Each structure stands twice: as structure tokens, then as C-alpha cells.
Amino acid sequence: MSATAADRAVRIREVELFFLPVEMRVPLKFGNQVLESVTCARARVRVENASGESRNGWGETPLSVGWVWPAAIDYELRHEAMKEFTIRVAEAFAAFEERGHALEIGHAFIEGQLEELREAFNADRPEAEHLPHLAALVCFSLFDIAAHDAFGKIHDCPTYATYGPEFLSRDLSHYLEPAAGADHVDFSGKYPADFLAENAPKKLPVWHLVGGLDPICLDDLTGDEPDDDYPVLLRDWIRRDGLNCLKIKLRGNDRDWDYDRLVAIGQIAEEEEVDWLTTDFNCTVTDPDYVNGILDQLKDDFPSCYQRILYVEQPFPYDLKANRIDVHSVSARKPLFMDESAHDWKYVRMGRELGWTGVALKTCKTQTGALLSLCWAKAHGMTLMVQDLTNPMLAQVPHFLLAAHAETIMGVESNGMQFYPDASLPEQEVHPGLYRRQQGILDGSTLSDQGFGYRVSEIDRELPEAVASCSK
């Protein structure tokens, strides 16, 4: 008799948490926050099946404070709060009793216990210091990713081979609802596997991030740039890595600076034969006319630069409920992608109603959530991208695999090699194509066919002492 999804169910048995501090090679600007370091949270999660067999899975996420928690309060206060909350999540996840596929376990935890943990965490804190929902998702994401990795391993197959009815006991109608009026969408009898690439590519075009502080010409140099073996100027990055896709960080509150920045980088792109650009306004725009005006002027004055813009990323504030801005006028000009606002498929649904046409997925918002948002978006004809959180070390692998299986509009963003390349040297020894961009691509052909394919036992990395170690 063949095994059923119930037979393949697992439960969480043990959770271990590590904090890995990483220093930036050059500063990275998020909105009004300049980052010079980050803590990467790494988890080992052991799952067990009904026969008592167990496997370890690994997950990792940078606790990117400036991205998940833009606020006027002290950076270090937010940083320590995220670390403390991640420890609490580790303890709660280790005690979680749900059985099933990692996606079923992750969904149950997100929908129930995670928000309860966040509310309890915020209860004794001043309102200005309340941990946001997006930050809570990031703090859980490493454990969720690790559970998905372990689920693939315990079944001796790639994690992405487990997203069909043979392994999942419920179809997508249990998790997702169609948009109002979308009579053509029916999630009954559908599974994530139905929305994933059947033959995911091993190689993907890669996007380079042009940060707001990045020098793009000799006049931008201050003399404080690092003196090492890595490029500094944009042209040197393009030539060394064969780049063909540039993501441009803008301010969103300084029209002249944003326009001049786009023109300058567009000129470099034309001279260096870079085909694609995208714009990231850092969630600071409150009026669509700001974006429309820049795009329209660019179209008139520099049409080749305008044509290179493949899509526009999240110009508007994080909180979609509090900022219900009609963005149809922007998406009429260029595809408009949700990022920080797309916490889950329900927010994607809300965004679609307001005129957003695409979704930028991120594994740091959980593997479970990314898959469900992917399915909802594809079913409703929305375009997908997978954006980076400056993922180093193990965090790079599920990030790459999500893009490979999502059939994105154009490859994947990856900028860890810009901002802390040496952080991933042990992983690069095993997977050179994932941590060094060559001829404009990332190459994941070295990944194994077990779980996410990290090959952790071959990576020469000594972990610090665990900050949490919990088991049933």
C-alpha cells in the first residue's frame, strides 16, 4: 500500500538557535536607516515521523532591523528586541504540537501562536516600541525554512518535490480564497506544486543593488571606501560580474535627487549595455503623482532609460490597511510590485484591488507564506519577483530556490556579495556559483537533492554557542 500524506507527517522535536554577527563591507541604506552590521539568525530544527525516524533541517535569516522595523526609536533597542523575540519563537516552536507537512505546521504556527507571542511580547512595552508583524515573520522565518528543509530530508528528496498531494493532506482551498469576482479561480484540488516550475532552472539572471550611498562615478568617492579585492564603482561591478540587471535604490522624498540618480545610472546602463533596471522608492512615497511624474519625465527626456525599467518596486508605505492608496495610475505605466506590504496572500489580495500588478516574494517572510502568496498571485494573473534581504551564508540557498521555482519576471536579486562577501566564504567553497555572480548569473547546480541541498556537513563553518536549545 502506498504511503499517504498522513503517513508522511512529521512533528517538531528539537530547535536550536544561533546568532551570527556580520559586519558590512560598505554601508547599506534602508529608507532613513544606514546599516553597518547585521545579526544573522540560524536555526537547526529536528523533525520526527511516526516511525521515530528524525532529520535535522537548517534555516537562516538576517534580522534586518532597518527593513522590518523602520522607526525613530534607537536602532540597538529594536535589534535587541528582535533577538529576544526570536529566542521566544524558538522555545514556542520546539513545544508546538502540530503534525503534518512543514507547510501545514508553519501555517498553523503563523495563524495562531506567532501573533499571540507578538501580542504578549508587546504587552509590557511602550506603544512606540511594539514589534511589527513583519518583524515577527522574519523572526520565525528561519525556523519555518529549517522545517521545510528537514521535511525534504526525511523523505530523501528535494523540499520542492514535497508540495503536491502525496505529501500535503489539504489542498490550497484550505488556506486561500479567490478575489471577489475572480470566478475563474478555484483552489479546490490545487496544490503549490501546480503553481511551481516543473523543471526549475539551475541558473538565474541576477540583479545588482545600487544602494543610495553607492558611488557610481569617481566624483562620488570620498576616500573612505574599502581597499580590498572587490569593486567599488558601479561600472567595475558590472564589468567584473557581467551584470545585466540593476536595482536602483531611491529616496522617495527628494524628487530631483531621485530623477538625477535614475538618469545617471541609466546612462551607465546604456554605455555598459545593461538591459534591465528597476526602481525601489523605499516605501516613502505617499502620492502616486510623485512616481508618475518621474516616470513621465524620464520617458520624454530619456526614453531608452525608461524602456529599460522592467518594473517599479514598493514606492508606498508598508501598512497597506492604513494607506489604501489607489495605484492604478502607476501600474498603467510600469508593472508595480508589492514587497514590504505583501505580508501574506490576504495583503496581496488587498494590493491587487488597489492596482498593484506584481508581488516581490521573500523567504524572510517565511517559506510557507511565500509559497501561499505565490500560488494566490499566480492564480490571479499577477507577476512575481524574488527580492533579496542581503542574504549571506545559508540564507542564500532557499532564496535562490524560491526564485528558480517561482518563474519570476527576471531571475533573482542577490547582493550579499556586495555588502559582506567574506561572510559567505565557507559556503562559497562548496557552492561557488551561488556566492559569486559570473556573466550576470547565479548558478545553483552544486546543490544536492536532499531538502534545500545545502550540503551543510561539507561547509567548514564553526558556529557560536547556541542562544537557545529546546526539545520536547
Side-chain angles (χ1 to χ4, degrees):
M1 183 181 295
S2 61
T4 65
D7 297 327
R8 295 185 169 105
V10 300
R11 63 185 300 207
I12 306 301
R13 292 295 295 174
E14 187 177 10
V15 172
E16 202 167 22
L17 171 63
F18 308 87
F19 288 147
L20 286 68
V22 178
E23 295 295 320
M24 314 287 282
R25 171 181 174 260
V26 291
L28 175 58
K29 193 171 188 294
F30 274 119
N32 61 1
Q33 182 80 60
V34 177
L35 303 181
E36 295 182 347
S37 63
V38 68
T39 295
C40 285
R42 180 179 292 196
R44 179 183 65 81
V45 171
R46 183 166 64 88
V47 303
E48 182 181 85
N49 62 19
S51 302
E53 183 183 9
S54 68
R55 290 289 187 278
N56 287 321
W58 293 88
E60 183 177 275
T61 301
L63 300 181
S64 188
V65 178
W67 182 73
V68 303
W69 195 350
I73 61 174
D74 179 68
Y75 174 90
E76 198 54 35
L77 186 151
R78 287 174 282 154
H79 180 214
E80 289 300 321
M82 286 189 69
K83 289 165 67 176
E84 181 185 343
F85 187 74
T86 304
I87 292 171
R88 294 195 188 185
V89 172
E91 296 167 346
F93 197 53
F96 199 51
E97 293 291 348
E98 188 79 9
R99 305 178 74 98
H101 190 290
L103 185 143
E104 294 161 345
I105 295 171
H107 181 265
F109 192 88
I110 293 166
E111 292 297 310
Q113 198 148 353
L114 185 64
E115 192 58 22
E116 292 175 8
L117 285 171
R118 189 175 77 93
E119 291 175 359
F121 185 77
N122 288 336
D124 297 326
R125 302 169 66 87
E127 186 173 352
E129 298 177 15
H130 281 190
L131 184 91
H133 177 63
L134 180 58
L137 285 175
V138 167
C139 293
F140 174 56
S141 65
L142 57 148
F143 307 106
D144 182 65
I145 291 168
H148 282 259
D149 180 45
F151 191 84
K153 287 179 179 176
I154 205 166
H155 297 295
D156 296 319
C157 67
T159 294
Y160 274 90
T162 71
Y163 294 133
E166 312 95 311
F167 295 92
L168 287 157
S169 60
R170 303 183 183 100
D171 64 24
L172 285 172
S173 66
H174 177 78
Y175 307 100
L176 308 176
E177 299 173 5
D183 297 333
H184 64 290
V185 177
D186 184 0
F187 290 112
S188 299
K190 297 289 186 181
Y191 294 82
D194 295 312
F195 296 91
L196 299 171
E198 286 188 25
N199 297 298
K202 301 291 186 183
K203 298 179 180 181
L204 295 176
V206 63
W207 289 79
H208 172 96
L209 176 67
V210 187
L213 300 177
D214 288 8
I216 62 172
C217 63
L218 290 171
D219 290 344
D220 292 338
L221 298 176
T222 65
D224 295 329
E225 291 78 20
D227 182 13
D228 52 26
D229 294 331
Y230 302 103
V232 173
L233 293 174
L234 177 58
R235 289 183 194 270
D236 295 332
W237 277 113
I238 293 170
R239 294 170 183 175
R240 191 196 82 149
D241 292 357
L243 300 170
N244 197 42
C245 306
L246 303 177
K247 172 178 169 175
I248 306 167
K249 280 277 189 182
L250 301 173
R251 294 179 177 175
N253 54 14
D254 186 338
R255 188 195 184 283
D256 291 343
W257 189 93
D258 284 352
Y259 182 77
D260 291 344
R261 186 74 165 176
L262 266 175
V263 170
I265 294 172
Q267 183 64 36
I268 292 172
E270 185 164 351
E271 293 170 1
E272 298 294 334
E273 299 182 343
V274 171
D275 288 332
W276 300 113
L277 305 174
T278 184
T279 60
D280 180 356
F281 286 88
N282 265 320
C283 311
T284 51
V285 179
T286 56
D287 187 344
D289 286 344
Y290 182 98
V291 181
N292 294 339
I294 289 175
L295 291 176
D296 290 347
Q297 185 178 352
L298 197 66
K299 184 178 181 180
D300 291 340
D301 297 347
F302 298 94
S304 64
C305 179
Y306 178 84
Q307 290 166 5
R308 281 182 165 84
I309 296 176
L310 187 61
Y311 66 96
V312 172
E313 179 186 338
Q314 188 78 41
F316 306 108
Y318 285 35
D319 190 341
L320 207 61
K321 289 182 179 178
N323 299 274
R324 296 183 64 89
I325 301 170
D326 189 308
V327 299
H328 285 87
S329 61
V330 181
S331 59
R333 290 164 167 83
K334 290 287 180 179
L336 183 62
F337 279 59
M338 307 175 70
D339 184 356
E340 289 84 354
S341 290
H343 299 335
D344 58 39
W345 70 270
K346 294 175 184 176
Y347 284 87
V348 175
R349 180 176 61 183
M350 189 187 308
R352 181 176 175 271
E353 293 169 359
L354 294 170
W356 299 80
T357 55
V359 184
L361 304 171
K362 278 189 168 83
T363 52
C364 68
K365 288 184 268 190
T366 73
Q367 175 76 5
T368 293
L371 287 172
L372 294 177
S373 292
L374 179 159
C375 296
W376 196 95
K378 273 197 172 184
H380 290 83
M382 300 180 78
T383 314
L384 298 175
M385 187 58 198
V386 171
Q387 299 290 41
D388 202 5
L389 196 65
T390 315
N391 289 311
M393 302 181 286
L394 294 187
Q396 173 77 330
V397 174
H399 166 66
F400 172 86
L401 288 173
L402 177 62
H405 288 83
E407 299 173 305
T408 63
I409 190 172
M410 177 64 67
V412 64
E413 181 194 351
S414 187
N415 57 63
M417 55 285 293
Q418 299 172 235
F419 294 97
Y420 27 56
D422 288 352
S424 303
L425 290 178
E427 289 77 15
Q428 185 174 330
E429 284 293 314
V430 179
H431 304 294
L434 282 177
Y435 298 91
R436 168 72 190 270
R437 304 171 301 192
Q438 299 181 68
Q439 298 181 326
I441 66 166
L442 287 182
D443 184 349
S445 59
T446 54
L447 297 173
S448 79
D449 60 358
Q450 299 288 300
F452 286 127
Y454 298 121
R455 297 165 57 188
V456 169
S457 63
E458 301 172 51
I459 297 172
D460 185 17
R461 176 174 296 283
E462 184 176 344
L463 294 177
E465 184 177 351
V467 295
S469 186
C470 323
S471 59
K472 285 189 175 69

